[in-house]
Structure formats: C-alpha cells, structure tokens
Amino acid sequence: ITILPGLMSFFDSKRFKLGTVLGYKYPEIAPYFASGNIKRFNSTTSKSSFARFIRGELDGFVTSLTEANYLVQLKRFNVLEIN
C-alpha cells in the first residue's frame, strides 16, 4: 500500500469510512482500524468498493493505481481528485 503524504494525519483527525477487500490484510493501516479512526467496510472486490464510494457510502477505498485508473475510465470520469 502506498500512503500519500499527510494522509495519516487526516486519518487521525476523522472517523474515515474505507472500502477494503474481504480477506485482505492492510498492515500499514491496521493501527487505524484498531483505534477506530478508520472504519473498515469489506466488499468482495475493489470494483464493489468503488461503486459504494461513488454512491457516497464510503470516504475512500483501497485499490492499486492500475485498477483505480481502469475504474475511473470505466465510469468515464475526466478528473480523479485525491484529497
């Protein structure tokens, strides 16, 4: 997992709803799951998490950069903004 600079301080300040893939472990962010700063919402695929993100159910989701680019093109978005 690549974590963007400054993202961990964001996780410290907010209860963040993060889409994850069922059965996967994320050791870099496990302490945030344990502390309750990030609430994990499991889906069977990253694509399912993306759909929940688009509907506003999640604040973000975990996926590879390659898959994120594919999902964005699949939905025909022109801009992907990462806050």
Side-chain angles (χ1 to χ4, degrees), residues 1-17:
I1 294 176
T2 300
I3 300 183
L4 300 173
L7 200 53
M8 289 296 115
S9 61
F10 175 76
F11 289 153
D12 284 334
S13 67
K14 179 182 178 188
R15 190 170 174 89
F16 195 83
K17 295 182 286 186

mmCIF file of all heavy atoms in Angstrom, residues 1-17:
data_model
loop_
_atom_site.group_PDB
_atom_site.id
_atom_site.type_symbol
_atom_site.label_atom_id
_atom_site.label_comp_id
_atom_site.label_asym_id
_atom_site.label_seq_id
_atom_site.Cartn_x
_atom_site.Cartn_y
_atom_site.Cartn_z
ATOM 1 N N ILE A 1 0.854 -1.179 0.000
ATOM 2 C CA ILE A 1 0.000 0.000 0.000
ATOM 3 C C ILE A 1 0.889 1.228 0.000
ATOM 4 O O ILE A 1 1.803 1.329 0.804
ATOM 5 C CB ILE A 1 -0.897 0.029 1.239
ATOM 6 C CG1 ILE A 1 -1.902 -1.122 1.196
ATOM 7 C CG2 ILE A 1 -1.639 1.343 1.344
ATOM 8 C CD1 ILE A 1 -2.756 -1.221 2.422
ATOM 9 N N THR A 2 0.610 2.143 -0.894
ATOM 10 C CA THR A 2 1.289 3.432 -0.894
ATOM 11 C C THR A 2 0.378 4.427 -0.199
ATOM 12 O O THR A 2 -0.774 4.593 -0.578
ATOM 13 C CB THR A 2 1.567 3.902 -2.330
ATOM 14 O OG1 THR A 2 2.384 2.933 -2.964
ATOM 15 C CG2 THR A 2 2.250 5.252 -2.327
ATOM 16 N N ILE A 3 0.884 5.063 0.817
ATOM 17 C CA ILE A 3 0.095 6.026 1.563
ATOM 18 C C ILE A 3 0.604 7.410 1.223
ATOM 19 O O ILE A 3 1.792 7.702 1.332
ATOM 20 C CB ILE A 3 0.171 5.740 3.067
ATOM 21 C CG1 ILE A 3 -0.371 4.335 3.316
ATOM 22 C CG2 ILE A 3 -0.586 6.798 3.842
ATOM 23 C CD1 ILE A 3 -0.448 3.903 4.718
ATOM 24 N N LEU A 4 -0.300 8.252 0.757
ATOM 25 C CA LEU A 4 0.073 9.596 0.342
ATOM 26 C C LEU A 4 0.537 10.424 1.533
ATOM 27 O O LEU A 4 0.002 10.290 2.628
ATOM 28 C CB LEU A 4 -1.121 10.285 -0.324
ATOM 29 C CG LEU A 4 -1.668 9.582 -1.564
ATOM 30 C CD1 LEU A 4 -2.936 10.273 -2.024
ATOM 31 C CD2 LEU A 4 -0.643 9.571 -2.669
ATOM 32 N N PRO A 5 1.520 11.304 1.331
ATOM 33 C CA PRO A 5 1.998 12.170 2.414
ATOM 34 C C PRO A 5 0.846 12.972 3.011
ATOM 35 O O PRO A 5 -0.004 13.479 2.295
ATOM 36 C CB PRO A 5 3.002 13.091 1.728
ATOM 37 C CG PRO A 5 3.403 12.382 0.480
ATOM 38 C CD PRO A 5 2.211 11.552 0.077
ATOM 39 N N GLY A 6 0.816 13.033 4.322
ATOM 40 C CA GLY A 6 -0.213 13.805 5.006
ATOM 41 C C GLY A 6 -1.504 13.046 5.245
ATOM 42 O O GLY A 6 -2.361 13.493 5.995
ATOM 43 N N LEU A 7 -1.652 11.868 4.629
ATOM 44 C CA LEU A 7 -2.895 11.121 4.770
ATOM 45 C C LEU A 7 -3.076 10.558 6.174
ATOM 46 O O LEU A 7 -4.182 10.530 6.696
ATOM 47 C CB LEU A 7 -2.942 9.994 3.741
ATOM 48 C CG LEU A 7 -4.297 9.400 3.413
ATOM 49 C CD1 LEU A 7 -5.301 10.477 3.020
ATOM 50 C CD2 LEU A 7 -4.174 8.381 2.314
ATOM 51 N N MET A 8 -1.992 10.132 6.793
ATOM 52 C CA MET A 8 -2.106 9.572 8.136
ATOM 53 C C MET A 8 -2.601 10.614 9.134
ATOM 54 O O MET A 8 -3.399 10.311 10.004
ATOM 55 C CB MET A 8 -0.773 8.984 8.603
ATOM 56 C CG MET A 8 -0.394 7.707 7.888
ATOM 57 S SD MET A 8 -1.552 6.359 8.200
ATOM 58 C CE MET A 8 -2.231 6.082 6.612
ATOM 59 N N SER A 9 -2.168 11.860 9.005
ATOM 60 C CA SER A 9 -2.666 12.893 9.921
ATOM 61 C C SER A 9 -4.147 13.149 9.668
ATOM 62 O O SER A 9 -4.899 13.464 10.587
ATOM 63 C CB SER A 9 -1.855 14.179 9.790
ATOM 64 O OG SER A 9 -1.963 14.694 8.478
ATOM 65 N N PHE A 10 -4.595 12.985 8.424
ATOM 66 C CA PHE A 10 -6.018 13.101 8.123
ATOM 67 C C PHE A 10 -6.789 11.996 8.822
ATOM 68 O O PHE A 10 -7.835 12.229 9.413
ATOM 69 C CB PHE A 10 -6.249 13.043 6.612
ATOM 70 C CG PHE A 10 -7.700 13.047 6.233
ATOM 71 C CD1 PHE A 10 -8.432 14.224 6.285
ATOM 72 C CD2 PHE A 10 -8.330 11.884 5.842
ATOM 73 C CE1 PHE A 10 -9.779 14.238 5.942
ATOM 74 C CE2 PHE A 10 -9.673 11.890 5.499
ATOM 75 C CZ PHE A 10 -10.396 13.065 5.557
ATOM 76 N N PHE A 11 -6.264 10.762 8.777
ATOM 77 C CA PHE A 11 -6.927 9.642 9.438
ATOM 78 C C PHE A 11 -7.011 9.868 10.945
ATOM 79 O O PHE A 11 -7.950 9.443 11.591
ATOM 80 C CB PHE A 11 -6.200 8.335 9.166
ATOM 81 C CG PHE A 11 -6.335 7.826 7.752
ATOM 82 C CD1 PHE A 11 -5.358 7.040 7.209
ATOM 83 C CD2 PHE A 11 -7.441 8.133 6.967
ATOM 84 C CE1 PHE A 11 -5.469 6.548 5.913
ATOM 85 C CE2 PHE A 11 -7.567 7.659 5.673
ATOM 86 C CZ PHE A 11 -6.577 6.856 5.152
ATOM 87 N N ASP A 12 -6.004 10.532 11.509
ATOM 88 C CA ASP A 12 -6.005 10.807 12.939
ATOM 89 C C ASP A 12 -7.126 11.767 13.333
ATOM 90 O O ASP A 12 -7.585 11.765 14.468
ATOM 91 C CB ASP A 12 -4.666 11.416 13.378
ATOM 92 C CG ASP A 12 -3.575 10.371 13.461
ATOM 93 O OD1 ASP A 12 -3.885 9.182 13.675
ATOM 94 O OD2 ASP A 12 -2.403 10.745 13.315
ATOM 95 N N SER A 13 -7.560 12.595 12.402
ATOM 96 C CA SER A 13 -8.486 13.670 12.742
ATOM 97 C C SER A 13 -9.942 13.371 12.409
ATOM 98 O O SER A 13 -10.811 14.165 12.719
ATOM 99 C CB SER A 13 -8.063 14.949 12.017
ATOM 100 O OG SER A 13 -8.230 14.785 10.620
ATOM 101 N N LYS A 14 -10.239 12.240 11.789
ATOM 102 C CA LYS A 14 -11.595 11.991 11.319
ATOM 103 C C LYS A 14 -11.916 10.503 11.383
ATOM 104 O O LYS A 14 -11.042 9.673 11.185
ATOM 105 C CB LYS A 14 -11.701 12.480 9.866
ATOM 106 C CG LYS A 14 -13.049 12.272 9.241
ATOM 107 C CD LYS A 14 -13.065 12.732 7.790
ATOM 108 C CE LYS A 14 -14.435 12.447 7.199
ATOM 109 N NZ LYS A 14 -14.503 12.663 5.791
ATOM 110 N N ARG A 15 -13.157 10.193 11.629
ATOM 111 C CA ARG A 15 -13.610 8.797 11.523
ATOM 112 C C ARG A 15 -13.886 8.538 10.044
ATOM 113 O O ARG A 15 -14.894 8.977 9.498
ATOM 114 C CB ARG A 15 -14.845 8.588 12.375
ATOM 115 C CG ARG A 15 -15.214 7.160 12.505
ATOM 116 C CD ARG A 15 -16.297 7.006 13.558
ATOM 117 N NE ARG A 15 -16.753 5.654 13.586
ATOM 118 C CZ ARG A 15 -16.221 4.706 14.341
ATOM 119 N NH1 ARG A 15 -15.246 4.992 15.157
ATOM 120 N NH2 ARG A 15 -16.684 3.478 14.304
ATOM 121 N N PHE A 16 -12.999 7.835 9.389
ATOM 122 C CA PHE A 16 -12.961 7.662 7.949
ATOM 123 C C PHE A 16 -13.563 6.309 7.574
ATOM 124 O O PHE A 16 -13.183 5.285 8.145
ATOM 125 C CB PHE A 16 -11.497 7.748 7.512
ATOM 126 C CG PHE A 16 -11.264 7.932 6.055
ATOM 127 C CD1 PHE A 16 -11.317 9.197 5.490
ATOM 128 C CD2 PHE A 16 -10.958 6.856 5.242
ATOM 129 C CE1 PHE A 16 -11.073 9.384 4.145
ATOM 130 C CE2 PHE A 16 -10.710 7.033 3.897
ATOM 131 C CZ PHE A 16 -10.764 8.295 3.347
ATOM 132 N N LYS A 17 -14.500 6.266 6.624
ATOM 133 C CA LYS A 17 -15.097 5.013 6.150
ATOM 134 C C LYS A 17 -14.330 4.562 4.914
ATOM 135 O O LYS A 17 -14.393 5.219 3.871
ATOM 136 C CB LYS A 17 -16.581 5.223 5.842
ATOM 137 C CG LYS A 17 -17.401 5.569 7.061
ATOM 138 C CD LYS A 17 -18.869 5.725 6.725
ATOM 139 C CE LYS A 17 -19.075 7.020 5.998
ATOM 140 N NZ LYS A 17 -20.482 7.336 5.743
#
